[in-house]
PDB file of all heavy atoms in Angstrom:
ATOM      1  N   VAL A  73     155.050  31.745  -4.438  1.00  0.00           N
ATOM      2  CA  VAL A  73     153.781  31.114  -4.788  1.00  0.00           C
ATOM      3  C   VAL A  73     153.197  30.389  -3.594  1.00  0.00           C
ATOM      4  O   VAL A  73     151.985  30.474  -3.291  1.00  0.00           O
ATOM      5  CB  VAL A  73     153.989  30.144  -5.974  1.00  0.00           C
ATOM      6  CG1 VAL A  73     152.690  29.376  -6.252  1.00  0.00           C
ATOM      7  CG2 VAL A  73     154.415  30.896  -7.216  1.00  0.00           C
ATOM      8  N   PHE A 103     175.939  15.382  19.696  1.00  0.00           N
ATOM      9  CA  PHE A 103     176.149  15.106  21.119  1.00  0.00           C
ATOM     10  C   PHE A 103     176.508  13.633  21.341  1.00  0.00           C
ATOM     11  O   PHE A 103     177.275  13.288  22.233  1.00  0.00           O
ATOM     12  CB  PHE A 103     174.894  15.481  21.893  1.00  0.00           C
ATOM     13  CG  PHE A 103     175.025  15.297  23.387  1.00  0.00           C
ATOM     14  CD1 PHE A 103     175.745  16.217  24.135  1.00  0.00           C
ATOM     15  CD2 PHE A 103     174.474  14.202  23.999  1.00  0.00           C
ATOM     16  CE1 PHE A 103     175.872  16.035  25.512  1.00  0.00           C
ATOM     17  CE2 PHE A 103     174.614  14.017  25.375  1.00  0.00           C
ATOM     18  CZ  PHE A 103     175.329  14.934  26.128  1.00  0.00           C
ATOM     19  N   TRP A 110     178.603  15.104   6.653  1.00  0.00           N
ATOM     20  CA  TRP A 110     177.383  14.898   5.902  1.00  0.00           C
ATOM     21  C   TRP A 110     176.132  15.439   6.590  1.00  0.00           C
ATOM     22  O   TRP A 110     175.258  16.013   5.934  1.00  0.00           O
ATOM     23  CB  TRP A 110     177.204  13.413   5.553  1.00  0.00           C
ATOM     24  CG  TRP A 110     176.885  12.514   6.701  1.00  0.00           C
ATOM     25  CD1 TRP A 110     177.739  11.786   7.444  1.00  0.00           C
ATOM     26  CD2 TRP A 110     175.557  12.248   7.249  1.00  0.00           C
ATOM     27  NE1 TRP A 110     177.053  11.078   8.412  1.00  0.00           N
ATOM     28  CE2 TRP A 110     175.743  11.350   8.306  1.00  0.00           C
ATOM     29  CE3 TRP A 110     174.279  12.694   6.900  1.00  0.00           C
ATOM     30  CZ2 TRP A 110     174.664  10.870   9.050  1.00  0.00           C
ATOM     31  CZ3 TRP A 110     173.201  12.214   7.660  1.00  0.00           C
ATOM     32  CH2 TRP A 110     173.385  11.350   8.719  1.00  0.00           C
ATOM     33  N   VAL A 125     161.061  29.461   1.136  1.00  0.00           N
ATOM     34  CA  VAL A 125     159.639  29.764   1.388  1.00  0.00           C
ATOM     35  C   VAL A 125     159.486  30.684   2.576  1.00  0.00           C
ATOM     36  O   VAL A 125     158.529  31.458   2.654  1.00  0.00           O
ATOM     37  CB  VAL A 125     158.822  28.471   1.597  1.00  0.00           C
ATOM     38  CG1 VAL A 125     158.777  27.652   0.321  1.00  0.00           C
ATOM     39  CG2 VAL A 125     159.369  27.645   2.720  1.00  0.00           C
ATOM     40  N   LEU A 221     155.049  37.060 -11.865  1.00  0.00           N
ATOM     41  CA  LEU A 221     156.157  37.776 -12.527  1.00  0.00           C
ATOM     42  C   LEU A 221     155.568  38.781 -13.549  1.00  0.00           C
ATOM     43  O   LEU A 221     156.099  39.889 -13.703  1.00  0.00           O
ATOM     44  CB  LEU A 221     157.039  36.765 -13.245  1.00  0.00           C
ATOM     45  CG  LEU A 221     157.836  35.812 -12.322  1.00  0.00           C
ATOM     46  CD1 LEU A 221     158.650  34.834 -13.160  1.00  0.00           C
ATOM     47  CD2 LEU A 221     158.759  36.610 -11.389  1.00  0.00           C
ATOM     48  N   ARG A 228     153.461  49.805 -12.489  1.00  0.00           N
ATOM     49  CA  ARG A 228     154.181  51.087 -12.764  1.00  0.00           C
ATOM     50  C   ARG A 228     155.025  51.537 -11.567  1.00  0.00           C
ATOM     51  O   ARG A 228     155.878  52.402 -11.751  1.00  0.00           O
ATOM     52  CB  ARG A 228     153.156  52.156 -13.109  1.00  0.00           C
ATOM     53  CG  ARG A 228     152.247  51.795 -14.295  1.00  0.00           C
ATOM     54  CD  ARG A 228     152.997  51.809 -15.604  1.00  0.00           C
ATOM     55  NE  ARG A 228     153.420  53.128 -15.972  1.00  0.00           N
ATOM     56  CZ  ARG A 228     152.635  53.993 -16.599  1.00  0.00           C
ATOM     57  NH1 ARG A 228     151.408  53.693 -16.921  1.00  0.00           N
ATOM     58  NH2 ARG A 228     153.129  55.187 -16.946  1.00  0.00           N
ATOM     59  N   LEU A 230     156.030  48.988  -8.800  1.00  0.00           N
ATOM     60  CA  LEU A 230     156.801  47.856  -8.309  1.00  0.00           C
ATOM     61  C   LEU A 230     157.991  47.523  -9.240  1.00  0.00           C
ATOM     62  O   LEU A 230     159.095  47.238  -8.735  1.00  0.00           O
ATOM     63  CB  LEU A 230     155.932  46.629  -8.132  1.00  0.00           C
ATOM     64  CG  LEU A 230     154.797  46.727  -7.108  1.00  0.00           C
ATOM     65  CD1 LEU A 230     154.044  45.426  -7.041  1.00  0.00           C
ATOM     66  CD2 LEU A 230     155.340  47.085  -5.747  1.00  0.00           C
ATOM     67  N   LEU A 234     161.751  47.586  -7.778  1.00  0.00           N
ATOM     68  CA  LEU A 234     162.599  46.401  -7.657  1.00  0.00           C
ATOM     69  C   LEU A 234     163.908  46.575  -8.429  1.00  0.00           C
ATOM     70  O   LEU A 234     164.930  46.078  -7.993  1.00  0.00           O
ATOM     71  CB  LEU A 234     161.827  45.182  -8.162  1.00  0.00           C
ATOM     72  CG  LEU A 234     160.742  44.678  -7.206  1.00  0.00           C
ATOM     73  CD1 LEU A 234     159.795  43.695  -7.902  1.00  0.00           C
ATOM     74  CD2 LEU A 234     161.355  44.021  -5.975  1.00  0.00           C
ATOM     75  N   ASP A 257     192.727  46.400   5.735  1.00  0.00           N
ATOM     76  CA  ASP A 257     194.085  45.821   5.635  1.00  0.00           C
ATOM     77  C   ASP A 257     195.032  46.760   4.871  1.00  0.00           C
ATOM     78  O   ASP A 257     196.189  46.981   5.277  1.00  0.00           O
ATOM     79  CB  ASP A 257     194.005  44.484   4.902  1.00  0.00           C
ATOM     80  CG  ASP A 257     195.367  43.830   4.756  1.00  0.00           C
ATOM     81  OD1 ASP A 257     195.973  43.481   5.796  1.00  0.00           O
ATOM     82  OD2 ASP A 257     195.834  43.675   3.619  1.00  0.00           O
ATOM     83  N   TRP A 261     194.333  49.631   9.399  1.00  0.00           N
ATOM     84  CA  TRP A 261     193.433  49.852  10.512  1.00  0.00           C
ATOM     85  C   TRP A 261     193.350  48.670  11.440  1.00  0.00           C
ATOM     86  O   TRP A 261     193.013  48.800  12.594  1.00  0.00           O
ATOM     87  CB  TRP A 261     192.048  50.192   9.993  1.00  0.00           C
ATOM     88  CG  TRP A 261     191.956  51.471   9.229  1.00  0.00           C
ATOM     89  CD1 TRP A 261     192.865  52.485   9.221  1.00  0.00           C
ATOM     90  CD2 TRP A 261     190.892  51.884   8.337  1.00  0.00           C
ATOM     91  NE1 TRP A 261     192.464  53.523   8.404  1.00  0.00           N
ATOM     92  CE2 TRP A 261     191.237  53.162   7.839  1.00  0.00           C
ATOM     93  CE3 TRP A 261     189.699  51.306   7.907  1.00  0.00           C
ATOM     94  CZ2 TRP A 261     190.453  53.871   6.926  1.00  0.00           C
ATOM     95  CZ3 TRP A 261     188.917  51.990   7.017  1.00  0.00           C
ATOM     96  CH2 TRP A 261     189.267  53.263   6.542  1.00  0.00           C
ATOM     97  N   THR A 285     160.438  53.555  13.631  1.00  0.00           N
ATOM     98  CA  THR A 285     159.553  52.958  14.623  1.00  0.00           C
ATOM     99  C   THR A 285     158.791  54.032  15.405  1.00  0.00           C
ATOM    100  O   THR A 285     157.620  53.931  15.674  1.00  0.00           O
ATOM    101  CB  THR A 285     160.363  52.078  15.585  1.00  0.00           C
ATOM    102  OG1 THR A 285     161.020  51.040  14.865  1.00  0.00           O
ATOM    103  CG2 THR A 285     159.466  51.475  16.660  1.00  0.00           C
ATOM    104  N   ALA A 292     156.463  61.796   1.124  1.00  0.00           N
ATOM    105  CA  ALA A 292     157.188  61.749  -0.151  1.00  0.00           C
ATOM    106  C   ALA A 292     158.100  60.548  -0.200  1.00  0.00           C
ATOM    107  O   ALA A 292     159.280  60.639  -0.472  1.00  0.00           O
ATOM    108  CB  ALA A 292     157.970  63.035  -0.362  1.00  0.00           C
ATOM    109  N   VAL A 296     162.107  60.139  -1.068  1.00  0.00           N
ATOM    110  CA  VAL A 296     163.005  59.799   0.031  1.00  0.00           C
ATOM    111  C   VAL A 296     163.825  58.582  -0.318  1.00  0.00           C
ATOM    112  O   VAL A 296     165.040  58.515  -0.072  1.00  0.00           O
ATOM    113  CB  VAL A 296     162.228  59.617   1.341  1.00  0.00           C
ATOM    114  CG1 VAL A 296     163.109  59.011   2.405  1.00  0.00           C
ATOM    115  CG2 VAL A 296     161.687  60.938   1.821  1.00  0.00           C
ATOM    116  N   ALA A 305     175.043  56.272  -1.857  1.00  0.00           N
ATOM    117  CA  ALA A 305     176.048  55.916  -2.850  1.00  0.00           C
ATOM    118  C   ALA A 305     177.250  56.861  -2.744  1.00  0.00           C
ATOM    119  O   ALA A 305     178.402  56.412  -2.817  1.00  0.00           O
ATOM    120  CB  ALA A 305     175.464  55.990  -4.252  1.00  0.00           C
ATOM    121  N   TYR A 313     188.114  56.823   0.680  1.00  0.00           N
ATOM    122  CA  TYR A 313     189.058  57.934   0.805  1.00  0.00           C
ATOM    123  C   TYR A 313     189.057  58.591   2.197  1.00  0.00           C
ATOM    124  O   TYR A 313     189.579  59.679   2.377  1.00  0.00           O
ATOM    125  CB  TYR A 313     188.731  58.977  -0.259  1.00  0.00           C
ATOM    126  CG  TYR A 313     188.866  58.419  -1.667  1.00  0.00           C
ATOM    127  CD1 TYR A 313     187.753  57.918  -2.341  1.00  0.00           C
ATOM    128  CD2 TYR A 313     190.111  58.323  -2.295  1.00  0.00           C
ATOM    129  CE1 TYR A 313     187.857  57.373  -3.631  1.00  0.00           C
ATOM    130  CE2 TYR A 313     190.232  57.784  -3.568  1.00  0.00           C
ATOM    131  CZ  TYR A 313     189.110  57.325  -4.225  1.00  0.00           C
ATOM    132  OH  TYR A 313     189.235  56.752  -5.492  1.00  0.00           O
ATOM    133  N   GLY A 322     182.603  57.620  10.981  1.00  0.00           N
ATOM    134  CA  GLY A 322     181.543  58.594  10.723  1.00  0.00           C
ATOM    135  C   GLY A 322     180.873  58.362   9.373  1.00  0.00           C
ATOM    136  O   GLY A 322     179.638  58.464   9.247  1.00  0.00           O
ATOM    137  N   ALA A 324     180.730  55.464   7.713  1.00  0.00           N
ATOM    138  CA  ALA A 324     179.985  54.221   7.794  1.00  0.00           C
ATOM    139  C   ALA A 324     178.669  54.424   8.549  1.00  0.00           C
ATOM    140  O   ALA A 324     177.648  53.836   8.217  1.00  0.00           O
ATOM    141  CB  ALA A 324     180.827  53.148   8.479  1.00  0.00           C
ATOM    142  N   LEU A 326     176.929  57.148   8.502  1.00  0.00           N
ATOM    143  CA  LEU A 326     176.027  57.791   7.529  1.00  0.00           C
ATOM    144  C   LEU A 326     175.519  56.766   6.520  1.00  0.00           C
ATOM    145  O   LEU A 326     174.310  56.786   6.162  1.00  0.00           O
ATOM    146  CB  LEU A 326     176.780  58.905   6.817  1.00  0.00           C
ATOM    147  CG  LEU A 326     175.976  59.703   5.760  1.00  0.00           C
ATOM    148  CD1 LEU A 326     174.780  60.376   6.386  1.00  0.00           C
ATOM    149  CD2 LEU A 326     176.902  60.728   5.080  1.00  0.00           C
ATOM    150  N   LEU A 333     167.273  53.618   6.227  1.00  0.00           N
ATOM    151  CA  LEU A 333     166.112  54.412   5.818  1.00  0.00           C
ATOM    152  C   LEU A 333     165.534  53.939   4.506  1.00  0.00           C
ATOM    153  O   LEU A 333     164.339  53.636   4.402  1.00  0.00           O
ATOM    154  CB  LEU A 333     166.498  55.894   5.739  1.00  0.00           C
ATOM    155  CG  LEU A 333     165.420  56.856   5.255  1.00  0.00           C
ATOM    156  CD1 LEU A 333     164.253  56.840   6.215  1.00  0.00           C
ATOM    157  CD2 LEU A 333     165.992  58.265   5.096  1.00  0.00           C
ATOM    158  N   LEU A 368     176.559  38.072  -5.597  1.00  0.00           N
ATOM    159  CA  LEU A 368     177.456  37.807  -6.726  1.00  0.00           C
ATOM    160  C   LEU A 368     178.476  38.917  -6.865  1.00  0.00           C
ATOM    161  O   LEU A 368     179.558  38.733  -7.448  1.00  0.00           O
ATOM    162  CB  LEU A 368     176.667  37.630  -8.010  1.00  0.00           C
ATOM    163  CG  LEU A 368     175.704  36.438  -8.073  1.00  0.00           C
ATOM    164  CD1 LEU A 368     174.936  36.457  -9.387  1.00  0.00           C
ATOM    165  CD2 LEU A 368     176.427  35.123  -7.916  1.00  0.00           C
ATOM    166  N   MET A 370     180.214  40.213  -4.525  1.00  0.00           N
ATOM    167  CA  MET A 370     181.306  40.106  -3.572  1.00  0.00           C
ATOM    168  C   MET A 370     182.590  39.534  -4.196  1.00  0.00           C
ATOM    169  O   MET A 370     183.669  40.137  -4.086  1.00  0.00           O
ATOM    170  CB  MET A 370     180.868  39.285  -2.348  1.00  0.00           C
ATOM    171  CG  MET A 370     179.893  40.066  -1.465  1.00  0.00           C
ATOM    172  SD  MET A 370     179.628  39.258   0.126  1.00  0.00           S
ATOM    173  CE  MET A 370     178.513  37.953  -0.333  1.00  0.00           C
ATOM    174  N   ILE A 377     189.337  44.683  -6.702  1.00  0.00           N
ATOM    175  CA  ILE A 377     190.208  45.398  -5.764  1.00  0.00           C
ATOM    176  C   ILE A 377     191.640  44.858  -5.855  1.00  0.00           C
ATOM    177  O   ILE A 377     192.607  45.623  -5.812  1.00  0.00           O
ATOM    178  CB  ILE A 377     189.676  45.244  -4.317  1.00  0.00           C
ATOM    179  CG1 ILE A 377     188.390  46.087  -4.179  1.00  0.00           C
ATOM    180  CG2 ILE A 377     190.711  45.679  -3.304  1.00  0.00           C
ATOM    181  CD1 ILE A 377     187.703  45.893  -2.840  1.00  0.00           C
ATOM    182  N   LEU A 411     153.367  56.675   1.050  1.00  0.00           N
ATOM    183  CA  LEU A 411     152.866  55.732   2.025  1.00  0.00           C
ATOM    184  C   LEU A 411     151.555  56.285   2.579  1.00  0.00           C
ATOM    185  O   LEU A 411     151.383  57.511   2.696  1.00  0.00           O
ATOM    186  CB  LEU A 411     153.872  55.505   3.136  1.00  0.00           C
ATOM    187  CG  LEU A 411     155.179  54.865   2.725  1.00  0.00           C
ATOM    188  CD1 LEU A 411     156.133  54.796   3.905  1.00  0.00           C
ATOM    189  CD2 LEU A 411     154.918  53.458   2.150  1.00  0.00           C
TER     190      LEU A 411
END
Side-chain angles (χ1 to χ4, degrees):
V73 174
F103 183 78
W110 71 265
V125 294
L221 294 177
R228 304 290 292 276
L230 297 182
L234 286 165
D257 180 64
W261 295 343
T285 299
V296 168
Y313 298 96
L326 180 60
L333 177 62
L368 297 177
M370 288 192 283
I377 288 173
L411 295 175

